[in-house]
Amino acid sequence: MDCKEIALKISNVSFSYKKGTQAISKLNLEVQKGSFTTLLGESGCGKTTILKLISGFLQPDTGTIEIDGVNQNRIEPDKRKIAFVFQNYALFPHLTVKQNILYGVKNKKNEDNCRIFEDTVKSLNLEDFLTRYPHELSGGQQQRVALARSLVLSPKILLMDEPLSSLDTKLREKVRDELKEIQQKLKITTIYVTHDREEALSLSDKIAVIHDGKILQEGSPKELYFTPKNQYTADFIGHANFLTNNENTFLVRPQWFSLCDDEENDLHGKIEEITFLGDTTRLIINLADKNLFTSTQNLIVDLPTIICEDLKKENSIFLKILKKWKF
């Protein structure tokens, strides 16, 4: 990849808080200009710490952080051309939407700044809300105002720390789609933090799975889902079954099965649980003693509901593996 295409380069960065616990360990990451990169991991794994290091709120103990090829280690946060969208939006309740959006703009009458403001407001469909106050907005509208406030600063990199976590499920999905559309339209380099794998899979060009301050694997959503390098990544990026055969371990996702007769099966066992999920039905299978593959846990199987209507708890079931991934 051409170096000119790299917006952010993190090289061998480590960081420890005062208590001595290492939060980030020898982290390396490259982010391409205009891309959407997600840091995915459980709470406390170091995701937000990485954002704070990029933005300059924290300084690395070792290693370097470069933006457009320039080392940022001695550059103050307000000089880095980075915008930060927080989890709680941090809107000023006594200011209107327009005042909130323009809060960080130094010269509000500058012609270029006015044009950027107008373009941003139009892109985010906020024209009709400029005179309202935050308490008069829905959660999704507040999220768009917080995003607009960052975008009017024309940042080189946009950092987002779990910005959708306070929204209900239906609204989260709607705003998520809007966010992806806006990012693709504006081509702004975005680094997004979440513990929600569905968000990561649907939004990202690249995902970096973080665990204990380290990147376990990075790649496209499809690469991590279909060809994970380790069991932690496989399990975190989606429901996973780990099957063993002749000392080899395979990943089989719950959707990678079909029903079959007893002559053609790869696996058979007894149905322990049946959960209706709408279009799909989830089965928990206790494998029989004699199988081509073995597992230390019950099998998770997701099948189209239309073929599961006659299945009952305690029934025997025969399964064919449609796809598997060898570690």
Side-chain angles (χ1 to χ4, degrees), residues 85 117 172 213 327:
V85 178
F117 168 79
R172 187 185 304 129
F327 287 104

Side-chain angles (χ1 to χ4, degrees), residues 33 62 76 100 157 224:
K33 284 187 178 180
T62 61
E76 295 299 319
N100 266 286
I157 298 175
L224 268 61

Side-chain angles (χ1 to χ4, degrees), residues 8-60:
L8 172 73
K9 183 176 182 179
I10 301 175
S11 303
N12 203 35
V13 164
S14 295
F15 174 80
S16 298
Y17 287 100
K18 290 183 179 180
K19 294 181 180 180
T21 303
Q22 191 167 55
I24 303 298
S25 178
K26 297 181 180 179
L27 191 85
N28 293 281
L29 179 67
E30 290 187 356
V31 176
Q32 189 173 355
K33 284 187 178 180
S35 67
F36 196 116
T37 298
T38 295
L39 307 180
L40 176 66
E42 58 193 4
S43 297
C45 70
K47 306 186 299 295
T48 299
T49 299
I50 295 171
L51 292 192
K52 290 180 178 179
L53 287 164
I54 295 169
S55 61
F57 293 127
L58 296 175
Q59 292 294 321

Side-chain angles (χ1 to χ4, degrees), residues 73-140:
N73 286 11
R74 296 186 180 276
I75 298 178
E76 295 299 319
D78 61 334
K79 302 294 192 300
R80 295 194 182 195
K81 295 289 286 182
I82 288 177
F84 210 131
V85 178
F86 297 93
Q87 184 174 341
N88 63 357
Y89 312 140
L91 300 179
F92 296 105
H94 63 292
L95 299 181
T96 65
V97 166
K98 182 176 181 179
Q99 290 169 331
N100 266 286
I101 293 173
L102 289 172
Y103 183 80
V105 179
K106 293 180 179 179
N107 186 353
K108 297 176 176 57
K109 295 183 179 180
N110 176 274
E111 186 176 334
D112 289 338
N113 290 341
C114 290
R115 177 182 51 78
I116 293 170
F117 168 79
E118 291 172 359
D119 290 345
T120 301
V121 167
K122 184 177 181 180
S123 296
L124 295 173
N125 296 317
L126 290 171
E127 299 102 316
D128 297 334
F129 304 100
L130 295 178
T131 59
R132 296 190 188 182
Y133 290 87
H135 72 273
E136 299 175 309
L137 305 177
S138 68

Side-chain angles (χ1 to χ4, degrees), residues 261-278:
D261 57 42
D262 57 358
E263 286 84 17
E264 298 178 344
N265 78 88
D266 294 316
L267 294 164
H268 66 282
K270 184 183 292 185
I271 299 175
E272 296 288 333
E273 295 179 29
I274 301 177
T275 304
F276 174 71
L277 299 175

